[in-house]
Amino acid sequence: MKPETKNHLKKIAVVILNWNGAKLLEQFLPSVIAFSDEATIYVADNASTDTSIEVIQNQFPSVKIIQNTGNFGFAKGYNEALKFVEEEYYALVNSDIEVTENWLAPILEIFENQAETAIIQPKLLDFKKKTHFEYAGGAGGFIDKFGYPFCRGRIFDTVEEDNNQYDDEIEIFWATGACFFIRKDVYRKLNGFDDDFFAHQEEIDLCWRAFNLGYKIKYTSKSIVYHVGGATLNEGNPRKTFLNFRNSLLMLTKNLPKNKLFPIIFMRLCLDGLAGIQFILKGKFKHCFAIIQAHFAFYGVVNQFYKKRGVIQKSNYYKINSIVYRYFIKNGKVFADLF
């Protein structure tokens, strides 16, 4: 498709990546259309084989369609589609997100008034249990020294109820890919997501690269969305385990300070081994095998990813030393317990 002429562009593009999600589009596109007057809405389709294209054309004719030539996953799927999107700001939104009234205005206000802020995340609540935060991003993400991600509102499998404890605007380390706002010029300067990740952790990698270049990542509670979560690849799928463990190691290889690279990755491999033992004790043998596969896949491409390292790697990337220790040994189940 051809991009619109510059004079007719709105400030923000809402871009929904889709693969065989016709039912999700029917369920969730109406809220996006209803509450996104400030935006042009696109669906970037990863060569769906269901009725997705027909659903958009027949039921949502105002939505623009970008058709990728294959199922490129999350990372490359967005990279390919966003070549055709020229709005100043991108809102990358999962197909299982319900948005709320006025969800875009607070985001636009930050972008317009804070030039150093490149990436923003809204408050992410659980569509199936709207009183609680949602696993994928909660109220903004951080990582520990070993690259384990955690969120305000969710640490490992412990999810907090939303009692307005995170009704604020703060700087965070990573924003969830479920609903991810970024300036177009920054996205292109960073060459977008890393295609080789396929899916999972690519948004943390992108945020880390932005952080290393001095950009800020923000969370605002004034924008609220609800996320189903796991609609494409659920938590019980060993494929998800493989991608998360492999991509974490790849992300560390690309972004850690050089003097910390070997010791941190060595410790991370050992901690992953403990996670594998935990899966065995729970009878989740396929997940343990997925970790082993992830490690061998990492060994096969580690040199390739080492060459992707940028010029600058900041050392103050982590919030705490070990979220594993705080959670499992010190019983720090919620964000407030960590400090």
Side-chain angles (χ1 to χ4, degrees):
M1 69 166 269
K2 295 180 180 178
E4 296 182 45
T5 58
K6 191 81 172 176
N7 291 338
H8 295 92
L9 290 178
K10 294 187 177 182
K11 281 277 189 180
I12 193 163
V14 173
V15 187
I16 299 168
L17 190 68
N18 175 71
W19 181 71
N20 287 351
K23 291 183 178 178
L24 292 173
L25 294 173
E26 287 181 309
Q27 183 177 1
F28 292 104
L29 258 180
S31 75
V32 177
I33 294 168
F35 299 128
S36 304
D37 288 341
E38 306 96 323
T40 304
I41 302 169
Y42 299 81
V43 169
D45 188 75
N46 261 342
S48 292
T49 56
D50 68 354
T51 59
S52 292
I53 300 299
E54 290 85 351
V55 165
I56 300 165
Q57 290 173 335
N58 295 332
Q59 298 184 35
F60 310 108
S62 66
V63 173
K64 299 181 181 298
I65 302 171
I66 304 171
Q67 292 183 263
N68 289 336
T69 56
N71 180 15
F72 298 135
F74 185 96
K76 188 176 180 181
Y78 267 123
N79 287 345
E80 290 297 313
L82 292 175
K83 293 174 183 177
F84 302 102
V85 180
E86 294 297 335
E87 281 80 1
E88 191 172 348
Y89 312 121
Y90 295 156
L92 310 184
V93 180
N94 276 17
S95 58
D96 58 350
I97 288 278
E98 179 184 78
V99 306
T100 61
E101 189 172 0
N102 201 46
W103 73 298
L104 292 176
I107 304 296
L108 286 167
E109 184 179 355
I110 294 173
F111 276 144
E112 295 287 285
N113 294 301
Q114 300 179 25
E116 73 283 2
T117 298
I119 298 168
I120 307 172
Q121 180 194 309
K123 180 190 280 192
L124 195 75
L125 298 176
D126 191 336
F127 179 79
K128 293 168 286 190
K129 193 176 183 181
K130 293 190 173 182
T131 55
H132 285 65
F133 288 96
E134 206 281 316
Y135 183 94
F142 300 91
I143 60 173
D144 74 0
K145 191 174 184 178
F146 304 102
Y148 284 106
F150 59 98
C151 317
R152 298 196 306 166
R154 193 274 298 172
I155 301 175
F156 290 109
D157 292 329
T158 302
V159 178
E160 293 181 48
E161 186 175 358
D162 176 21
N163 294 313
N164 305 316
Q165 67 270 44
Y166 304 123
D167 278 5
D168 53 17
E169 178 188 309
I170 68 159
E171 192 171 342
I172 57 177
F173 186 74
W174 61 268
T176 176
C179 191
F180 185 96
F181 294 87
I182 185 168
R183 295 179 186 272
K184 177 191 67 178
D185 59 347
V186 174
Y187 187 89
R188 293 184 174 178
K189 182 177 181 179
L190 294 167
N191 294 315
F193 297 113
D194 188 325
D195 286 352
D196 293 326
F197 277 48
F198 187 76
H200 297 295
Q201 307 282 338
E202 66 283 289
E203 77 268 47
I204 305 178
D205 170 66
L206 182 64
C207 287
W208 200 337
R209 287 184 281 127
F211 169 80
N212 278 336
L213 292 182
Y215 293 108
K216 291 185 178 180
I217 299 104
K218 287 283 186 76
Y219 158 86
T220 177
S221 61
K222 292 179 180 178
S223 175
I224 300 171
V225 301
Y226 296 95
H227 183 218
V228 174
T232 306
L233 199 60
N234 67 49
E235 292 297 323
N237 193 318
R239 174 69 175 166
K240 192 182 189 88
T241 300
F242 167 82
L243 289 168
N244 273 323
F245 279 82
R246 184 200 65 173
N247 291 353
S248 286
L249 291 166
L250 299 178
M251 176 178 67
L252 290 170
T253 302
K254 288 175 64 178
N255 296 296
L256 279 172
K258 194 169 185 178
N259 65 334
K260 297 179 186 285
L261 193 57
F262 178 79
I264 293 295
I265 288 181
F266 177 78
M267 276 300 301
R268 177 60 192 261
L269 291 169
C270 295
L271 289 167
D272 286 358
L274 293 177
I277 293 170
Q278 187 180 41
F279 278 133
I280 290 173
L281 294 175
K282 292 180 178 179
K284 297 182 177 180
F285 302 107
K286 289 183 178 179
H287 291 271
C288 178
F289 185 60
I291 294 176
I292 295 170
Q293 287 180 306
H295 283 197
F296 278 102
F298 167 68
Y299 300 144
V301 296
V302 62
N303 288 335
Q304 171 191 335
F305 273 77
Y306 184 82
K307 293 174 183 176
K308 294 185 180 186
R309 289 170 59 80
V311 176
I312 303 167
Q313 287 84 30
K314 293 185 177 180
S315 59
N316 60 330
Y317 62 91
Y318 57 93
K319 188 76 171 175
I320 59 173
N321 282 324
S322 175
I323 191 65
V324 174
Y325 175 77
R326 294 288 183 92
Y327 184 87
F328 291 104
I329 307 301
K330 300 296 287 184
N331 204 37
K333 300 299 183 185
V334 300
F335 191 82
D337 294 339
L338 301 179
F339 307 99

